[in-house]
Amino acid sequence: MVDPKPNNELKETKNKDDLAPLDKQIVDQIQKSGMPKETKDEIIAHLEMYRGPIPHPDILEGYQKLYPNAAKEIIDNGVDESKHRRKLETARQKRRGLLAWTSLIVVSIVTILCICISAYLIVNNHSAAGSIFGGIGVFTLFGGVVGNIDELTKNDDLTNSSDHYNQ
């Protein structure tokens, strides 16, 4: 249970560094408010940081009292949301894989084409132009592969905010 008279200031914020940024903002706003210290301590002591698509059991119980089967519908909605999210993530990963293979094939074709042109030019006594085309082919292959490594290995869930709403 919660101690009605906390013996240290805002004891729930001991591990403030472990909180999410939004939760830190809430705690900071409470700390900076003009409320008396006792009120702040009580609010922080009762503050429950809860995340996820399914509300805290106490909140579910309140909804259940208002509307029969509300808790079941809320939980079902949370489960459906989770399934939908996984489906979207699977589709995004498949799309990224397809783009990677397409990119690899296009880069390989350009490289082979440049090397073939290079060989043709060198055989026909155009060594300078042949060397340039050969270099272009090698750098195209190298650049295409290295450029895709970073793009395909980054974690979009953490770095690409355009896919997510701001919480």
Side-chain angles (χ1 to χ4, degrees):
M1 285 289 147
V2 176
D3 182 11
K5 293 184 180 178
N7 57 2
N8 61 347
E9 184 176 334
L10 305 172
K11 70 180 190 175
E12 290 291 322
T13 61
K14 277 185 191 175
N15 297 326
K16 188 175 175 186
D17 293 336
D18 296 337
L19 297 175
L22 183 60
D23 297 337
K24 285 181 187 177
Q25 271 185 323
I26 293 170
V27 171
D28 287 342
Q29 286 178 357
I30 293 170
Q31 288 174 336
K32 293 175 184 175
S33 71
M35 292 184 267
K37 181 187 178 306
E38 187 176 303
T39 305
K40 289 180 195 179
D41 290 346
E42 188 175 326
I43 289 172
I44 297 292
H46 288 90
L47 187 62
E48 289 187 41
M49 304 289 184
Y50 189 83
R51 293 184 167 272
I54 300 174
H56 189 275
D58 292 340
I59 296 171
L60 275 178
E61 184 179 347
Y63 281 120
Q64 187 66 27
K65 288 178 184 175
L66 291 173
Y67 174 72
N69 295 327
K72 181 184 180 329
E73 289 182 23
I74 291 170
I75 291 172
D76 288 346
N77 184 43
V79 170
D80 290 343
E81 173 69 23
S82 179
K83 287 178 183 176
H84 176 68
R85 192 87 166 129
R86 283 192 294 267
K87 182 180 172 186
L88 290 176
E89 181 62 25
T90 299
R92 180 171 48 186
Q93 292 300 339
K94 285 180 181 178
R95 186 174 55 250
R96 287 177 73 188
L98 179 64
L99 288 172
W101 278 106
T102 303
S103 174
L104 182 62
I105 290 168
V106 168
V107 165
S108 297
I109 289 170
V110 169
T111 300
I112 290 169
L113 184 64
C114 285
I115 291 174
C116 288
I117 292 172
S118 172
Y120 175 79
L121 289 171
I122 291 172
V123 167
N124 289 314
N125 295 326
H126 297 289
S127 58
S131 296
I132 291 172
F133 271 96
I136 290 172
V138 169
F139 283 116
T140 299
L141 178 64
F142 183 72
V145 171
V146 171
N148 278 338
I149 288 173
D150 183 47
E151 184 64 30
L152 295 172
T153 57
K154 72 181 178 184
N155 185 352
D156 273 352
D157 290 339
L158 299 176
T159 59
N160 187 358
S161 62
S162 66
D163 288 347
H164 310 287
Y165 60 91
N166 292 330
Q167 295 182 351

